[in-house]
Amino acid sequence: MSRSSSVSTVPAFSSISGRTVPPFVPLPLVPPPAYSQTTVPHDDPPFTPNGTRIYTHHATGSDPALSGQMQSGSNPRNSAAYEPTDAAEISRRISQISDTGGFGVTGLKNFGNTCFMNSVIQCLVGTKPLTRYFMRGEWRSHLIQDTKKQSSSMVTEFAHVVERMWRGQFSFISPAEFRSAVARCSEQFNGNDQQDAHEFASFVLDSLHECLNHVHPRPLPERELTLDEELQFEQLPDAQQSRVKWDAYTRRNKSIVSSIFQGQIQSRLTCMACQHTSTTYHMFTELSVPIPDTSSADSANGPALHSEPQPIDIYQCLDAYSESEILDGDNKWMCPVCQTKRTATKRLMIARLPLVLIVHLKRFSTVGHFREKLETNVQIPTMSMCLQKYVTFGAGEQSTLYNLYAVANHFGSMSSGHYTASVSDGLNGQWNHFDDTRTSVIHESQVTTPAAYLLFFVRTQRGIE
């Protein structure tokens, strides 16, 4: 069904399949060998993103909170030069945390298997609007005290981690209190097992959103549409549909997380018999995209038993995410117009683009009783990734171009792996690699490898594309 942005109103009444429907009114309200992080001593030289060890940039000063647990010493790096001494100096450093750059490169202590946590923290702290929000102390006035779930203590400890990392006094710090606060909030992350960085990032952002939500107390959720209201809703242009649903969402949700990370997905079912559509919208914080199977055959008689995946680009992953899916057989859709189950198509599109887009590459898959990891090299542009093809009509009024600024990497296999992070300092175009306590400068060509797992993009501004 074609929807034009020029349609701003709907008829007073519409006739749909013989039904007289009243007008719709919005309701109110190349990686290193696999190894276990627990078997790698902290004084081993770190891995570069390309999988080779480097022997420079060892930490020379540690946070006193480590209490001598790190062998690298306890002397801060030029503390007199880095420690803020007055309000004017603190304000100056906050002003440096702009959307294009910042201050301080700080590693994080690994508690055995917490590299997944460290990589996510580095990417989030590299998100300048989020860092500026915490450094200015704005979070204090928004924090909802939650003594039952203790999520508020996790937010407080996250703020402390941000402040200590951006203070620039130490080459690495210990996020021990933040880790403890996370463990009190989530049974999944209460232990010493390696965890999934994507799941951890989702948990942290969800917790920050819930605790820093400006809308408190929340109004009750809106009731579901009646059939007549749903039929009328389908007559609205995409842009108006999206706006109605986003307004309904933001009446109950408004936080620093929603303003930076949250976007909107359109899911549309289309009956292949009568072409009737049913459209729903939901919020997303990260976009999980599949990696198409590109294993090549190196035998004229058929696929090889151990074929190597061919490199692909990020657009092939986005194509696979947004391509139409046929619902047939047991998955046929009950069409409300035909009043029977019909073969239908389903397609996902982006209806509202976030300021920061997190793309999760689905590298882990289940084959029978086993979990496998895809080592496919996904080629990712660091500048001007264009999403115009994947947004609904009217959603492209803002810029659809994104620049990469952070990557969480996973090296190794499901049972034996390690996470690192690469984060850009937009001020001078420098990329820094974080391997727990160790930091190093890397070239832009080293940023995207077959280990890339979570991708952090920031939307460019219209007029400077």
Side-chain angles (χ1 to χ4, degrees):
M1 179 181 297
S2 174
R3 288 172 166 81
S4 170
S5 62
S6 63
V7 181
S8 58
T9 59
V10 294
F13 288 89
S14 299
S15 178
I16 304 175
S17 300
R19 302 172 63 93
T20 300
V21 183
F24 175 79
V25 179
L27 297 175
L29 305 179
V30 183
Y35 67 92
S36 172
Q37 176 65 8
T38 57
T39 64
V40 179
H42 284 292
D43 56 358
D44 276 359
F47 282 110
T48 68
N50 290 333
T52 58
R53 288 197 181 276
I54 57 177
Y55 292 83
T56 57
H57 294 84
H58 281 278
T60 57
S62 60
D63 188 343
L66 295 175
S67 301
Q69 297 177 59
M70 295 298 294
Q71 73 286 349
S72 56
S74 59
N75 294 324
R77 56 151 101 97
N78 299 326
S79 59
Y82 285 87
E83 180 70 17
T85 56
D86 54 29
E89 173 64 6
I90 293 174
S91 297
R92 183 185 70 81
R93 295 196 176 184
I94 291 175
S95 68
Q96 288 182 309
I97 306 172
S98 65
D99 292 329
T100 57
F103 181 90
V105 176
T106 305
L108 295 167
K109 173 178 167 56
N110 189 321
F111 297 96
N113 274 319
T114 56
C115 53
F116 71 93
M117 177 182 75
N118 292 346
S119 66
V120 170
I121 291 175
Q122 293 291 1
C123 292
L124 292 179
V125 172
T127 305
K128 303 308 186 295
L130 182 68
T131 298
R132 186 170 57 243
Y133 171 83
F134 279 98
M135 289 291 287
R136 288 175 173 170
E138 297 174 30
W139 63 277
R140 299 180 189 277
S141 62
H142 297 149
L143 181 62
I144 301 172
Q145 296 296 333
D146 185 349
T147 56
K148 181 179 179 181
K149 294 184 179 179
Q150 297 183 329
S151 297
S152 57
S153 66
M154 193 201 80
V155 176
T156 300
E157 294 304 330
F158 179 79
H160 292 165
V161 168
V162 172
E163 291 165 4
R164 287 158 62 202
M165 290 178 70
W166 275 88
R167 189 177 299 159
Q169 182 182 8
F170 303 104
S171 57
F172 65 91
I173 65 168
S174 169
E177 294 302 321
F178 174 69
R179 181 199 181 205
S180 297
V182 167
R184 291 193 295 269
C185 296
S186 170
E187 184 67 28
Q188 177 182 356
F189 302 110
N190 182 13
N192 297 317
D193 295 335
Q194 180 71 277
Q195 298 293 337
D196 183 82
H198 168 239
E199 294 177 0
F200 182 72
S202 298
F203 165 75
V204 171
L205 290 174
D206 287 347
S207 299
L208 292 178
H209 172 67
E210 291 299 322
C211 288
L212 299 171
N213 192 352
H214 303 189
V215 185
H216 188 72
R218 283 176 166 174
L220 293 174
E222 294 184 343
R223 63 172 175 81
E224 293 186 2
L225 300 181
T226 65
L227 176 59
D228 285 348
E229 288 171 336
E230 181 180 345
L231 291 172
Q232 189 61 47
F233 179 76
E234 289 302 313
Q235 304 308 301
L236 299 177
D238 284 350
Q240 192 171 346
Q241 283 187 357
S242 170
R243 185 164 55 252
V244 166
K245 292 301 183 180
W246 186 255
D247 288 346
Y249 175 76
T250 55
R251 276 194 286 270
R252 304 185 72 245
N253 299 273
K254 188 174 294 184
S255 73
I256 186 65
V257 173
S258 65
S259 66
I260 295 175
F261 297 98
Q262 291 183 356
Q264 186 186 53
I265 291 295
Q266 178 198 78
S267 176
R268 174 164 289 157
L269 295 171
T270 303
C271 176
M272 297 186 69
C274 71
Q275 301 304 307
H276 172 69
T277 62
S278 177
T279 312
T280 57
Y281 293 81
H282 65 269
M283 178 277 301
F284 74 95
T285 306
E286 60 277 325
L287 207 62
S288 293
V289 299
I291 299 177
D293 183 7
T294 59
S295 297
S296 63
D298 55 11
S299 170
N301 298 323
L305 292 178
H306 302 287
S307 56
E308 293 294 329
Q310 298 299 301
I312 62 173
D313 63 48
I314 188 67
Y315 295 111
Q316 290 172 267
C317 299
L318 292 168
D319 287 342
Y321 173 83
S322 65
E323 68 182 359
S324 294
E325 174 188 0
I326 303 294
L327 304 181
D328 203 356
D330 294 338
N331 296 321
K332 284 185 176 181
W333 175 48
M334 175 61 75
C335 176
V337 173
C338 297
Q339 294 292 302
T340 187
K341 286 191 173 183
R342 295 289 194 187
T343 300
T345 61
K346 177 182 178 180
R347 190 178 187 190
L348 301 177
M349 297 285 284
I350 302 174
R352 187 181 184 90
L353 291 165
L355 173 63
V356 168
L357 175 68
I358 303 176
V359 177
H360 164 228
L361 297 177
K362 297 170 72 172
R363 291 198 176 276
F364 302 110
S365 60
T366 301
V367 180
H369 298 289
F370 301 95
R371 292 263 289 170
E372 294 185 352
K373 180 186 176 184
L374 297 174
E375 299 284 358
T376 306
N377 185 11
V378 180
Q379 298 170 349
I380 304 154
T382 56
M383 301 290 289
S384 300
M385 180 179 72
C386 182
L387 297 184
Q388 184 66 49
K389 178 180 177 181
Y390 310 102
V391 301
T392 59
F393 189 85
E397 294 178 0
Q398 293 181 307
S399 171
T400 58
L401 298 181
Y402 281 81
N403 296 337
L404 185 71
Y405 73 88
V407 180
N409 307 291
H410 180 270
F411 295 98
S413 64
M414 286 287 298
S415 58
S416 176
H418 180 55
Y419 285 97
T420 67
S422 301
V423 183
S424 172
D425 177 355
L427 189 63
N428 54 24
Q430 174 178 297
W431 281 86
N432 297 301
H433 185 64
F434 298 90
D435 188 348
D436 293 329
T437 61
R438 307 173 181 90
T439 67
S440 59
V441 177
I442 61 174
H443 190 270
E444 185 175 314
S445 61
Q446 298 174 280
V447 172
T448 59
T449 71
Y453 184 49
L454 290 180
L455 313 171
F456 290 71
F457 296 89
V458 62
R459 194 177 66 224
T460 65
Q461 298 299 314
R462 177 72 70 179
I464 60 173
E465 299 170 7

